[in-house]
Amino acid sequence: MLKKILKIVGITMVVLIVAAFAVPYFFKDKIIAKVKTELNNQLNAKVDFKDVDISVFRHFPRLAVGLEDLQVVGIGEFAGDTLLAVKQIDVALNLMSVIKGDKMDIYNIALIQPRIHAIVNKDGAANWDITKPDTTAATPADTSKSKFALRLQQYKIEDAYISYDDRQGNMALLVTGLTHSGTGDFTQDQFLLQTSTVADGITFRYGLIPYLSQVKTKLDAAIQIDNNSNTYTFKDGKATINNLELALQGFFKLVNDSTYGMDMSFKAPSTNFKDLLSLVPAIYKTDFDKIKTSGTAAFDGFVKGNYSPVQMPSFGLDLAVKDGFFQYPDLPKPVKNIQIAMKISNPDGVPDHTVVDMPTGHLEMDNTPLDLRVLVKTPVSDLYVDAAAKGKLDLSKITEFVKLEAGTNLSGLLDADISAKGNMSAIEKQQYDRFYAAGTLQLSNMLYKSKDYPDGVKVNNLSLQFNPKNVTVKDLNGQYLGTNFEANGEVNNLLAYTLKNAPLDGKFNFKADEINLDKWMGTTPTAADPATAKKDSAAAIPFAVPANLDIVLAANVNKIHYDKADLTNVSGNLLVKDETVNMQQLKANALQGTMEINGSYSTKASKTNPDINLAYDVQNLDVQQTFNTFNTVQKLMPIGKFLSGKISSQLTMHGKLGKDMSPDLSTLTGDGNLLLIQGFLKQFAPVDQLASTLNVSQLKDISLRDIKNYFSFENGRVKINPFNVTVAGIKMNIGGSHGFDQSLDYTLQLALPRSMMGSAGNTLVNNLASQAQSKGIPVNLGDSVHLQVLMAGNILKPSVKTDLRETANSLKSQATELVKNKVDSVKTTVKDSLNQIKNTAVNSLKNELKNQLSGKKDSTQTAANKPLDNVSKQAGESVKNTLNGLFKKKANNTDTTKH
């Protein structure tokens, strides 16, 4: 009995264990389909995920469901922008709710490595506004029919990356290494949520001013949640930014789908200057705990009001430092007498009412004072600025006051005394008498080295002259990556660029002796190790054209090296605007010839696949050097590998570049012409194959001169328009296409003297003639043979098919001629018969008329002797006999075309 009970229990346990493993898989497809359907039904975006991991053990007794590699990609104006990418979403569900299918109870959610890219474009549209309109909004919600029931107890976000780019408001926020967790009873309408947040780095920029730069942040807050009013109230929130502690209080409220209400304030309880000093990244990163400080500081602020696409809350920030002092214990000199008073205020949320006022900014380094003051008002409607900066600084002594990153060297002298006052509208309207600007900035003998610039950047001299109209760059010269350069010009809107992030408008003349673009652009020659080369290729990114530039650059460079190309006497104009570089009459000597380039390079549409639109005009370039230098030429003109000589060409093309700055061949489209001035073709497999087939040694090595053809390319193929050429007395017509994959599809028409062919070639031609004659096609071979050659295969392994042009073209024309001859024969025979009948009829009528006039009348005349009846019968019989004769003759003849 006991054995029987144990056996039953054992079987039951096995069944339960098997069921535990099997049940999730029974419902996996159902869960995947339900989740994808719900997401795509609710969102105006492309939602997808790699897989669903289901387990009853990970959160036992609840069902664990994990979404792998979730992606939410925008559509419409944000097409291609990834709003959200999550490595894994782990959800704990009620198993029975899944089985029943009427609802799903969710208890726990964890987001592992989410990547959020939030964007507000210049028109104010947000890429996260992807929820579809609720068409049932007019009908009260029936919560009893909901497919999802939230019984959330806790949630967690682990190692998140958040990027917020507000292009309309000209601000950006970047959060890296964010981990956040919260616990609370979400089943209640009112409950307390305990949260903990840690971020490795927070960066915040407004305009061009970085208010926070990679600051470490920690926030512990208890939030009272009221779901009835959608209000979240902070109770005793404590935040730490680097070394600065802040106390938070206030509330955040969801007014509607697009409006958020808030009344938040923060204040630093500590008045220690050192805590505020920790916000300076360069100081905080290096031995910050060892710094000696003194002085007092105050830091507080608030945000109050509603935020929506058409409204901002009011805000304010106060910062004050008195008698600040700091010194590293192992450095000889302190930075002292630091005085700062700054207030940022906006009383009503209208952006144009924002005021930034810093009447005092002062510090002393080695008893040398630096002073700064600035007042900014009406930043939107008509920017007003009243600012001044004055001071001298020996850059080599900075290391006596501040510790720089390892490997960083800095030297040089900076002397500035500048001031400006007035509205931007005065400059825009060229009313320079209403805007005051004066002063100079002089930088001399500056040298900067760091881990990012190990070769160093040297500025021998930089001289800026400030006036109401612009900032004149009187002189700039220095060295970078082995290049000696000099420049001068003017900047017309430095204030708008600095404070409003308007595109920097300027004109410059630039000269340099030698530029190695491989170094300037961060590219290196292809690595010998394939693994290293693959890694370098994966890490490579194209040069991104800055978005906020409007620069005209007139350049003259003695020599430019890029990849395998060396260009000398380079000159031309570059227009940098709207994330695009436009090249105008960029001329250079290269590859033993000259070239001129017009066109554009743009990273506006894609930072990883730039758009190119180029027009080349090259003259007298060496074929071999051109082929070996440019990968594109190797695809467009593969014959160049076997050709020596000089070429001239005009070419236009557009397409995209890859990450390694090489053309993406699948996107290239264009056309042009090519003139081979003089050349020599040798060891070209397709021609060698033809020479062997025809047994013509003169085709082995070919001397060519003044050959011009026209071509176009698209979808990976180059089409060559038919052109005529004479090679060693052989007249040819060549046309067809080849692919970027080296495949061939060409037709050659040859007029080949038989005297050039050896016995094998003549045998081939005679056999072709015999085959044609056996099909009823007469072929008369003279001293010159007309051949048609079909060339296929690829460049290295071509296939050649030959045929007599007479056999290829004469069959159709001969058939047409035979039909024409038959028809003409019938016409002639019938015509002759009708003429004979006509003459007979006329003679008979004449005789009848003569007899009647003379009184002769034969009453016994038979019908056969009646002229008209006779004529009719004779005509019918004549035509009938003629046609019968023709077709009988055809039937008795042999049709040689059938053999």
Side-chain angles (χ1 to χ4, degrees):
M1 183 66 178
L2 180 60
K3 290 183 179 180
K4 186 176 181 180
I5 294 174
L6 292 175
K7 184 176 180 181
I8 294 172
V9 171
I11 292 173
T12 303
M13 290 298 295
V14 170
V15 170
L16 289 175
I17 292 173
V18 171
F21 282 100
V23 166
Y25 295 98
F26 292 157
F27 299 97
K28 181 175 181 177
D29 292 340
K30 183 178 181 180
I31 293 173
I32 291 176
K34 183 179 288 291
V35 171
K36 285 191 176 183
T37 301
E38 286 290 338
L39 289 174
N40 282 286
N41 285 343
Q42 297 297 324
L43 302 177
N44 284 316
K46 296 179 181 179
V47 183
D48 199 7
F49 48 87
K50 184 178 179 181
D51 195 10
V52 172
D53 176 33
I54 303 175
S55 172
V56 295
F57 297 105
R58 191 162 67 245
H59 297 303
F60 186 82
R62 293 165 182 151
L63 177 66
V65 179
L67 266 66
E68 305 289 341
D69 296 327
L70 172 69
Q71 285 195 336
V72 180
V73 181
I75 59 176
E77 61 184 310
F78 294 106
D81 291 329
T82 300
L83 169 63
L84 175 65
V86 186
K87 184 176 182 181
Q88 183 184 44
I89 300 180
D90 188 23
V91 182
L93 303 168
N94 182 296
L95 178 59
M96 293 308 298
S97 71
V98 176
I99 296 175
K100 292 180 179 179
D102 57 341
K103 65 178 181 178
M104 288 188 183
D105 296 338
I106 303 176
Y107 294 98
N108 178 57
I109 298 177
L111 276 68
I112 311 300
Q113 293 185 5
R115 300 292 182 263
I116 301 172
H117 296 267
I119 301 172
V120 178
N121 67 16
K122 293 183 179 180
D123 297 327
N127 71 332
W128 64 83
D129 186 15
I130 59 175
T131 56
K132 293 182 178 179
D134 186 1
T135 56
T136 61
T139 305
D142 185 359
T143 56
S144 63
K145 295 182 180 180
S146 176
K147 296 297 183 182
F148 289 87
L150 189 66
R151 302 185 184 278
L152 194 62
Q153 301 295 325
Q154 61 182 356
Y155 65 91
K156 183 178 183 181
I157 300 173
E158 185 177 307
D159 190 20
Y161 173 96
I162 301 174
S163 172
Y164 172 73
D165 184 7
D166 187 345
R167 298 167 185 171
Q168 184 185 49
N170 191 21
M171 66 178 71
L173 173 69
L174 178 64
V175 182
T176 59
L178 173 68
T179 296
H180 170 80
S181 62
T183 58
D185 189 358
F186 284 81
T187 61
Q188 303 297 316
D189 290 333
Q190 297 181 349
F191 64 97
L192 187 66
L193 176 65
Q194 295 287 348
T195 66
S196 176
T197 306
V198 176
D200 293 339
I202 295 180
T203 299
F204 176 71
R205 172 192 61 78
Y206 184 75
L208 291 181
I209 302 175
Y211 291 94
L212 298 175
S213 179
Q214 282 296 306
V215 295
K216 291 186 176 180
T217 305
K218 182 178 180 182
L219 172 63
D220 294 320
I223 305 173
Q224 183 65 44
I225 295 180
D226 186 344
N227 285 323
N228 294 322
S229 61
N230 292 322
T231 303
Y232 309 90
T233 304
F234 285 79
K235 293 182 175 295
D236 301 325
K238 294 181 180 179
T240 303
I241 303 175
N242 281 350
N243 212 58
L244 179 66
E245 291 186 0
L246 297 173
L248 302 176
Q249 61 180 8
F251 69 86
F252 181 87
K253 183 177 182 179
L254 299 178
V255 179
N256 54 49
D257 290 342
S258 60
T259 304
Y260 313 99
M262 59 195 77
D263 186 354
M264 302 287 298
S265 64
F266 58 89
K267 184 176 182 179
S270 171
T271 59
N272 191 337
F273 170 65
K274 183 175 183 178
D275 295 334
L276 188 63
L277 187 65
S278 70
L279 297 182
V280 181
I283 295 176
Y284 183 73
K285 289 180 180 179
T286 308
D287 294 339
F288 180 76
D289 56 333
K290 299 178 182 179
I291 293 179
K292 297 178 181 180
T293 66
S294 64
T296 61
F299 185 67
D300 61 77
F302 73 92
V303 179
K304 185 176 182 179
N306 289 340
Y307 175 84
S308 72
V310 295
Q311 185 179 10
M312 287 181 61
S314 63
F315 58 90
L317 184 147
D318 290 332
L319 170 65
V321 176
K322 292 183 178 181
D323 302 323
F325 169 100
F326 73 90
Q327 182 179 13
Y328 288 90
D330 51 349
L331 295 182
K333 297 178 181 180
V335 177
K336 61 182 181 180
N337 197 15
I338 303 172
Q339 312 290 340
I340 299 175
M342 184 173 71
K343 181 186 290 289
I344 301 175
S345 63
N346 183 293
D348 51 15
V350 178
D352 199 40
H353 294 170
T354 302
V355 176
V356 179
D357 187 11
M358 189 177 75
T360 302
H362 176 88
L363 62 83
E364 296 175 9
M365 303 174 69
D366 194 23
N367 296 319
T368 301
L370 296 175
D371 289 284
L372 174 68
R373 65 174 177 82
V374 62
L375 171 64
V376 176
K377 296 188 296 184
T378 57
V380 178
S381 61
D382 186 8
L383 176 68
Y384 174 84
V385 62
D386 182 0
K390 184 177 182 179
K392 295 181 180 180
L393 183 61
D394 185 346
L395 300 179
S396 64
K397 292 185 177 181
I398 286 183
T399 55
E400 298 179 1
F401 306 96
V402 178
K403 284 191 172 182
L404 304 179
E405 290 187 20
T408 301
N409 294 320
L410 183 62
S411 63
L413 295 174
L414 175 65
D415 187 356
D417 186 359
I418 54 178
S419 59
K421 184 177 181 179
N423 290 92
M424 283 298 302
S425 61
I427 298 177
E428 293 169 352
K429 296 176 182 178
Q430 299 183 0
Q431 298 171 345
Y432 302 121
D433 58 324
R434 298 179 57 186
F435 189 90
Y436 173 81
T440 60
L441 185 148
Q442 188 78 29
L443 178 63
S444 57
N445 299 319
M446 189 209 79
L447 176 63
Y448 173 73
K449 288 186 177 182
S450 68
K451 63 179 182 180
D452 294 327
Y453 298 91
D455 295 321
V457 179
K458 186 176 182 181
V459 176
N460 299 323
N461 187 60
L462 170 61
S463 178
L464 303 180
Q465 181 74 46
F466 292 80
N467 57 72
K469 181 179 180 181
N470 54 34
V471 178
T472 303
V473 183
K474 297 179 66 176
D475 180 35
L476 168 62
N477 65 81
Q479 293 85 37
Y480 177 62
L481 294 176
T483 298
N484 295 295
F485 62 87
E486 59 182 68
N488 60 68
E490 59 188 32
V491 178
N492 298 318
N493 63 338
L494 185 60
L495 286 175
Y497 171 73
T498 304
L499 300 176
K500 300 180 68 174
N501 198 32
L504 184 64
D505 177 14
K507 296 180 180 180
F508 294 94
N509 300 307
F510 176 85
K511 293 182 180 181
D513 58 351
E514 183 174 350
I515 297 177
N516 187 334
L517 282 180
D518 291 341
K519 292 182 179 180
W520 280 56
M521 300 177 69
T523 59
T524 56
T526 305
D529 182 6
T532 304
K534 184 177 181 180
K535 181 179 179 181
D536 291 342
S537 177
I541 57 174
F543 165 71
V545 183
N548 56 343
L549 293 181
D550 187 358
I551 299 294
V552 178
L553 183 68
N556 282 275
V557 183
N558 293 340
K559 183 179 180 180
I560 294 179
H561 173 82
Y562 176 62
D563 197 16
K564 301 175 183 178
D566 287 302
L567 287 69
T568 60
N569 298 324
V570 182
S571 65
N573 295 324
L574 301 178
L575 280 66
V576 184
K577 184 178 181 179
D578 200 22
E579 300 182 68
T580 301
V581 177
N582 286 289
M583 291 162 277
Q584 296 181 345
Q585 293 184 320
L586 191 61
K587 299 178 181 180
N589 297 328
L591 308 170
Q592 301 183 27
T594 63
M595 62 172 55
E596 179 178 328
I597 303 174
N598 291 274
S600 64
Y601 166 93
S602 178
T603 53
K604 183 177 181 179
S606 173
K607 301 297 183 292
T608 55
N609 295 103
D611 292 290
I612 56 171
N613 193 341
L614 301 174
Y616 295 89
D617 186 350
V618 300
Q619 301 292 324
N620 297 306
L621 266 59
D622 181 83
V623 177
Q624 280 292 297
Q625 290 185 26
T626 304
F627 179 86
N628 292 324
T629 300
F630 300 110
N631 293 336
T632 308
V633 175
Q634 295 173 14
K635 300 298 183 181
L636 292 176
M637 195 178 75
I639 194 175
K641 182 178 181 179
F642 312 94
L643 188 65
S644 61
K646 297 280 189 175
I647 58 170
S648 293
S649 178
Q650 287 80 42
L651 166 67
T652 61
M653 71 175 180
H654 60 268
K656 290 182 175 292
L657 300 183
K659 290 183 178 181
D660 60 351
M661 297 288 286
S662 295
D664 182 351
L665 298 177
S666 63
T667 67
L668 291 187
T669 301
D671 55 37
N673 63 75
L674 186 144
L675 170 64
L676 178 63
I677 301 170
Q678 185 174 358
F680 193 75
L681 185 63
K682 188 175 183 180
Q683 295 181 341
F684 184 47
V687 175
D688 287 352
Q689 179 73 21
L690 179 62
S692 299
T693 302
L694 299 177
N695 197 209
V696 178
S697 60
Q698 289 87 340
L699 292 177
K700 289 286 186 178
D701 299 327
I702 301 176
S703 178
L704 303 169
R705 186 180 182 86
D706 296 335
I707 298 175
K708 188 171 186 178
N709 59 42
Y710 294 85
F711 60 89
S712 61
F713 51 95
E714 187 177 10
N715 298 324
R717 293 202 70 81
V718 180
K719 180 182 178 182
I720 306 295
N721 292 352
F723 63 96
N724 297 317
V725 60
T726 301
V727 177
I730 305 172
K731 295 181 179 180
M732 298 185 186
N733 179 272
I734 304 172
S737 69
H738 61 266
F740 291 161
D741 59 358
Q742 309 291 285
S743 61
L744 300 174
D745 184 10
Y746 279 92
T747 300
L748 285 72
Q749 306 282 356
L750 285 76
L752 181 63
R754 296 196 68 175
S755 60
M756 288 187 176
M757 295 185 294
S759 58
N762 277 287
T763 301
L764 171 66
V765 170
N766 291 331
N767 288 336
L768 292 174
S770 299
Q771 294 174 19
Q773 290 171 350
S774 68
K775 296 178 181 179
I777 303 174
V779 176
N780 296 319
L781 296 177
D783 294 335
S784 183
V785 181
H786 295 83
L787 293 175
Q788 178 170 277
V789 180
L790 303 178
M791 192 172 290
N794 60 60
I795 293 291
L796 299 179
K797 293 183 179 180
S799 64
V800 175
K801 182 180 180 181
T802 59
D803 203 349
L804 290 174
R805 278 168 58 186
E806 286 83 352
T807 67
N809 300 322
S810 294
L811 184 60
K812 180 179 179 180
S813 61
Q814 186 183 50
T816 303
E817 190 65 26
L818 288 174
V819 171
K820 183 177 182 298
N821 291 339
K822 292 292 185 182
V823 172
D824 290 344
S825 178
V826 171
K827 287 181 178 179
T828 301
T829 304
V830 171
K831 183 179 179 180
D832 292 343
S833 298
L834 290 176
N835 286 334
Q836 183 179 1
I837 295 170
K838 173 183 166 184
N839 293 332
T840 302
V842 170
N843 292 330
S844 297
L845 287 173
K846 284 182 179 179
N847 294 330
E848 178 66 18
L849 182 60
K850 181 179 179 181
N851 290 334
Q852 291 183 2
L853 290 174
S854 60
K856 293 181 180 180
K857 185 175 180 182
D858 188 357
S859 59
T860 63
Q861 191 177 28
T862 62
N865 293 325
K866 293 179 179 180
L868 293 179
D869 289 344
N870 242 358
V871 168
S872 174
K873 289 182 180 180
Q874 287 181 21
E877 288 295 327
S878 177
V879 172
K880 179 178 178 182
N881 293 336
T882 300
L883 294 176
N884 284 338
L886 288 172
F887 286 110
K888 182 178 180 181
K889 182 179 179 182
K890 179 179 179 182
N892 292 333
N893 287 340
T894 302
D895 186 359
T896 59
T897 62
K898 294 182 180 181
H899 297 278

